[in-house]
Amino acid sequence: MLLGVIADDMTGATDVALMLNRAGMRTVQVIGVPPAGSALPEADAVVVALKSRTNPVAEAVADSLAACEALLKGGARQILFKYCSTFDSTAEGNIGPVANALAERLGAKLAIVCPAFPANGRSIYQGYLFVGAVPLHESSMKDHPLTPMRDSSLMRLMSTQARTETGLVDYATVLSGPAAVKARLAKLQADGIRYAVTDALTNEDLMTLGHAVSEHVLLTGGSGIAMGLPQNFRRAGLLPERPGPVELRAPAGRAGIISGSCSTATRGQIKAALEAGYPALKVDPFALVDGSQNAEGLAAWALAQPADKPFLVYSSDDPAEVAAVQDKLGREKAGSIVEHAFAEVARRLSDGGVTRLLVAGGETSGATVLGLGIHTLEIGPEIDPGVPWTRVVDGPEMVVALKSGNFGTPDFFLKAWNLLR
Ligand SMILES: Nc1ncnc2c1ncn2[C@@H]1O[C@H](COP(=O)(O)OP(=O)(O)OP(=O)(O)O)[C@@H](O)[C@H]1O
Ligand SMILES: O=C(O)[C@@H](O)C(=O)CO
């Protein structure tokens, strides 16, 4: 293994694994902290998918350190801490403490902070994160059910979370190329700065940044920064040319969609699926609480639908409805009730013959994958930037696509199936 990645949620892990795969590294995704003593799969890069974005800080730190230990033991020469391209963090903020702990473990004096992902509209300028044409705090991320983002300054966010000053590699420096970036990072490090936000607007910028950090033992950022890393290993003669992602063959069986994502993109995709006549059932968190809906009933409904179209089981709702649920049940309880139900639904669907499953939402995917007892995923073809089909390597015989809330075109739920044989 050359590169080890610690991803703070499930869909973020498939996102970065796809990026590495496309850039020519054979990449495997493992779910959860690998048990001590177990061997990691043979690959150029291994991505460990954690649920550490929203866990209590101490748990997030402990899991990330344990994942780091396993990756180092597996031979990783460089560690990437992958978080969301919209820097999603709870009020306490797990990104800073996790980065601090990893930096200490790895002896990293300075690490970059680069959530940019131009293909999905995430760019960084003067240290401010933009989503499409608006700053992060004006985007739909301000209303996220678990990690509402109300500040767009990455330097301020990181400084507050990591309790240390954060510097900037500005856009003019990035445009000047890898040597200029290296010099700027060295200057920041000499000044005692531990984190440097890097401006990036395009894939070319990410390639420049990737080149500039070839010697860094720790990187932090979104999947975009992974784009420029395989070239370093190739340049060092450590990575042969690899063929692009393979087509995936889906086992015979039924197809379905589970969505707990309340993001704007997902809600648009649900609208398109409803308009296309997909059989759909809406899950109501209050009904889960009072028992009028339960996992057994939801799965039974799904399995009873005609198999000519994928079914859709979804709890996705608009911000006002989600806020009303959270007011009554509490933010965490609302989330966990729905996630718990979907994990059980997924288990029952797999037992009932569903072999092609599309899941929308990072937390929802995390719960679903754990519910299904999946340990390892092999990365397949890209449906849209950041979202591949994956094949379950150990676990039920099926293919799954784990979609980050805000990723994918409006017809995502309609077109995804076309990439499967
Ligand atoms: N109707 C609802 N009311 C309240 N909470 C809900 C509702 N439906 C889903 N949730 C919760 O909202 C959260 C959605 O987070 P999730 O990470 O799954 O989606 P997302 O944020 O859109 O995706 P990503 O993290 O990939 O951007 C989950 O905890 C889910 O259980
Ligand atoms: O970086 C992103 O936006 C995604 O991979 C993600 O982490 C969403 O949960």
Side-chain angles (χ1 to χ4, degrees), residues 8-16 53 82-88 115 117 120 122 144 221-224 361-363 386 403-407:
D8 72 350
D9 88 336
M10 194 64 64
T11 46
T14 43
D15 171 12
V16 68
R53 185 174 296 175
K82 154 72 176 78
Y83 41 75
C84 195
S85 62
T86 42
F87 209 77
D88 297 13
F117 191 177
N120 274 314
R122 278 67 159 153
H144 190 277
S223 61
E363 299 295 330
K403 190 194 80 72
S404 290
N406 272 314
F407 287 180

Side-chain angles (χ1 to χ4, degrees), residues 255-259 270 273 278 310-314 342 349 354 356-360 413-414 417:
I257 306 164
I258 289 178
S259 175
I270 288 175
Y278 281 20
F311 58 78
L312 168 64
V313 183
Y314 68 107
F342 280 145
L349 292 177
V354 172
R356 287 169 288 156
L357 186 65
L358 220 157
V359 187
F413 291 159
L414 313 182
W417 319 101

